[in-house]
Coordinates of all heavy atoms in Angstrom, one line a residue:
D1 N 0.6 -8.6 -3.1 CA 1.0 -8.7 -4.6 C 1.8 -9.7 -4.9 O 2.8 -10.2 -4.1 CB 1.6 -7.2 -4.7 CG 1.7 -7.0 -6.3 OD1 0.9 -7.3 -7.1 OD2 2.9 -6.6 -6.7
A2 N 1.4 -10.4 -5.9 CA 2.2 -11.6 -6.4 C 2.5 -12.6 -5.3 O 3.5 -13.2 -5.3 CB 3.5 -11.1 -6.9
G3 N 1.5 -12.9 -4.5 CA 1.6 -13.9 -3.6 C 2.3 -13.7 -2.2 O 2.5 -14.5 -1.4
V4 N 2.7 -12.4 -2.0 CA 3.5 -12.0 -0.9 C 2.7 -10.9 -0.1 O 1.9 -10.0 -0.8 CB 4.8 -11.7 -1.0 CG1 5.6 -12.9 -1.7 CG2 4.9 -10.5 -1.8
I5 N 2.8 -10.7 1.3 CA 2.4 -9.5 1.9 C 3.5 -8.4 1.6 O 4.6 -8.6 2.2 CB 2.1 -9.8 3.3 CG1 1.1 -10.8 3.6 CG2 1.9 -8.5 4.1 CD1 0.9 -11.4 4.9
V6 N 3.2 -7.4 0.9 CA 4.1 -6.4 0.7 C 4.2 -5.4 1.8 O 5.3 -4.9 2.2 CB 3.8 -5.6 -0.6 CG1 4.6 -4.4 -0.9 CG2 3.8 -6.6 -1.8
E7 N 3.0 -5.1 2.3 CA 2.9 -4.0 3.4 C 1.7 -4.3 4.3 O 0.7 -4.8 3.8 CB 3.0 -2.7 2.8 CG 3.0 -1.5 3.9 CD 3.3 -0.1 3.2 OE1 3.3 -0.1 1.9 OE2 3.3 0.9 3.9
E8 N 1.8 -4.0 5.6 CA 0.7 -4.0 6.5 C 0.7 -2.9 7.5 O 1.9 -2.4 7.7 CB 0.7 -5.4 7.1 CG 1.8 -5.7 7.9 CD 1.7 -7.1 8.5 OE1 0.7 -7.3 9.4 OE2 2.5 -8.0 8.3
G9 N -0.3 -2.7 8.0 CA -0.4 -1.7 9.2 C -1.8 -1.3 9.5 O -2.8 -1.9 9.0
T10 N -2.1 -0.2 10.2 CA -3.5 0.4 10.6 C -3.9 1.0 9.3 O -3.0 1.3 8.3 CB -3.3 1.3 11.7 OG1 -2.6 2.5 11.2 CG2 -2.8 0.6 13.0
P11 N -5.2 1.2 9.2 CA -5.7 1.8 7.9 C -4.8 3.2 7.7 O -4.6 3.6 6.7 CB -7.2 2.0 8.3 CG -7.6 0.9 9.2 CD -6.3 0.7 10.0
S12 N -4.8 4.0 8.8 CA -4.1 5.3 8.5 C -2.6 5.1 8.1 O -2.2 5.9 7.3 CB -4.1 6.1 9.8 OG -3.5 5.5 10.9
E13 N -1.9 4.1 8.4 CA -0.7 4.0 8.1 C -0.5 3.4 6.7 O 0.3 3.9 6.0 CB 0.1 2.8 9.0 CG 0.3 3.2 10.4 CD 0.7 2.1 11.3 OE1 0.5 0.9 11.1 OE2 1.4 2.4 12.3
L14 N -1.5 2.6 6.2 CA -1.4 2.0 4.9 C -1.9 2.9 3.9 O -1.3 3.1 2.8 CB -2.1 0.6 4.9 CG -1.8 -0.2 3.6 CD1 -0.4 -1.0 4.0 CD2 -2.8 -1.4 3.3
F15 N -3.1 3.7 4.1 CA -3.6 4.5 3.3 C -3.1 5.9 3.2 O -3.1 6.6 2.1 CB -5.2 4.5 3.5 CG -5.8 3.2 3.1 CD1 -6.2 2.3 4.1 CD2 -6.1 2.9 1.8 CE1 -6.9 1.2 3.8 CE2 -6.7 1.6 1.5 CZ -7.1 0.8 2.5
E16 N -2.6 6.3 4.3 CA -2.2 7.8 4.4 C -0.7 7.9 4.5 O -0.1 9.0 4.3 CB -2.9 8.4 5.7 CG -4.4 8.4 5.5 CD -5.2 8.8 6.8 OE1 -4.5 9.4 7.6 OE2 -6.3 8.5 6.9
N17 N 0.1 6.8 4.9 CA 1.4 7.0 5.1 C 2.2 5.7 4.4 O 3.0 5.1 5.1 CB 1.8 7.1 6.6 CG 3.2 7.5 6.8 OD1 3.9 8.2 6.0 ND2 3.8 7.2 7.9
T18 N 1.8 5.5 3.3 CA 2.3 4.3 2.6 C 3.9 4.3 2.6 O 4.4 5.3 2.1 CB 1.8 4.1 1.2 OG1 0.3 4.1 1.4 CG2 2.1 2.8 0.5
Q19 N 4.5 3.2 2.9 CA 6.0 3.1 2.8 C 6.5 2.3 1.6 O 7.6 2.7 1.2 CB 6.5 2.5 4.0 CG 6.1 3.0 5.4 CD 6.7 4.4 5.5 OE1 7.8 4.7 5.4 NE2 5.9 5.5 5.7
N20 N 5.7 1.5 1.0 CA 6.2 0.8 -0.2 C 5.7 1.2 -1.5 O 4.5 1.7 -1.6 CB 5.7 -0.8 0.1 CG 6.4 -1.7 -0.9 OD1 6.0 -1.8 -2.1 ND2 7.4 -2.4 -0.5
E21 N 6.6 1.3 -2.4 CA 6.2 1.7 -3.8 C 5.2 1.0 -4.5 O 4.3 1.5 -5.1 CB 7.5 1.8 -4.7 CG 7.3 2.4 -6.0 CD 6.8 3.8 -6.0 OE1 7.1 4.6 -5.1 OE2 5.9 4.1 -6.8
R22 N 5.1 -0.4 -4.2 CA 4.1 -1.1 -4.9 C 2.9 -0.9 -4.3 O 1.7 -0.9 -5.1 CB 4.5 -2.7 -4.7 CG 5.9 -3.2 -5.5 CD 6.3 -4.4 -5.0 NE 5.6 -5.6 -5.2 CZ 5.9 -6.8 -4.7 NH1 7.1 -6.9 -4.0 NH2 5.2 -7.9 -4.9
T23 N 2.7 -0.7 -3.0 CA 1.6 -0.3 -2.3 C 1.0 1.1 -2.9 O -0.3 1.2 -3.2 CB 1.7 -0.2 -0.9 OG1 2.3 -1.3 -0.3 CG2 0.2 -0.1 -0.2
R24 N 1.9 2.0 -3.1 CA 1.4 3.3 -3.5 C 1.0 3.3 -4.9 O 0.0 3.8 -5.4 CB 2.6 4.3 -3.5 CG 3.0 4.9 -2.1 CD 3.8 6.1 -2.2 NE 5.1 5.6 -2.7 CZ 6.2 5.3 -1.7 NH1 5.9 5.3 -0.5 NH2 7.3 5.1 -2.2
A25 N 1.6 2.4 -5.8 CA 1.3 2.3 -7.1 C -0.2 1.6 -7.3 O -1.0 2.0 -8.1 CB 2.2 1.3 -7.9
F26 N -0.5 0.6 -6.4 CA -1.8 -0.1 -6.4 C -2.8 0.9 -5.9 O -3.9 1.0 -6.7 CB -1.8 -1.3 -5.4 CG -3.1 -1.8 -5.2 CD1 -3.7 -2.7 -6.1 CD2 -3.8 -1.5 -4.0 CE1 -5.0 -3.0 -5.9 CE2 -5.1 -2.0 -3.7 CZ -5.7 -2.8 -4.8
L27 N -2.6 1.5 -5.0 CA -3.6 2.6 -4.5 C -3.9 3.6 -5.5 O -5.0 4.1 -5.7 CB -3.2 3.2 -3.1 CG -3.2 2.2 -1.9 CD1 -2.7 2.8 -0.7 CD2 -4.6 1.6 -1.7
S28 N -2.7 4.2 -6.2 CA -2.9 5.2 -7.2 C -3.7 4.6 -8.3 O -4.7 5.3 -8.9 CB -1.6 5.6 -7.6 OG -1.7 6.5 -8.6
R29 N -3.4 3.4 -8.8 CA -4.3 2.8 -9.9 C -5.7 2.7 -9.5 O -6.7 2.9 -10.3 CB -3.7 1.5 -10.3 CG -2.4 1.6 -11.0 CD -2.1 0.2 -11.8 NE -2.2 -1.0 -10.9 CZ -1.3 -1.6 -10.1 NH1 -0.1 -0.9 -10.1 NH2 -1.5 -2.5 -9.3
F30 N -5.9 2.2 -8.3 CA -7.3 2.0 -7.9 C -8.0 3.3 -7.9 O -9.3 3.5 -8.1 CB -7.4 1.4 -6.5 CG -8.7 0.8 -6.0 CD1 -9.0 -0.4 -6.4 CD2 -9.5 1.7 -5.4 CE1 -10.3 -0.9 -6.1 CE2 -10.8 1.3 -5.0 CZ -11.2 -0.1 -5.5
S31 N -7.5 4.4 -7.3 CA -8.1 5.8 -7.1 C -8.5 6.3 -8.6 O -9.5 6.8 -8.7 CB -7.3 6.7 -6.3 OG -6.0 6.9 -7.0

């Protein structure tokens, strides 16, 4: 997001156990 890596991990970590609010907001908008 905005030119930086905000969060990374395995698919289960990123999609099912998101730690960062920006990641959660993106995944929520996308869904």
Side-chain angles (χ1 to χ4, degrees):
D1 189 37
V4 301
I5 296 175
V6 175
E7 188 171 0
E8 62 178 296
T10 65
S12 61
E13 288 170 341
L14 200 78
F15 290 105
E16 299 168 19
N17 192 27
T18 307
Q19 300 298 307
N20 187 279
E21 182 59 38
R22 289 159 72 181
T23 312
R24 280 196 293 270
F26 169 76
L27 294 175
S28 175
R29 288 198 308 272
F30 192 89
S31 63

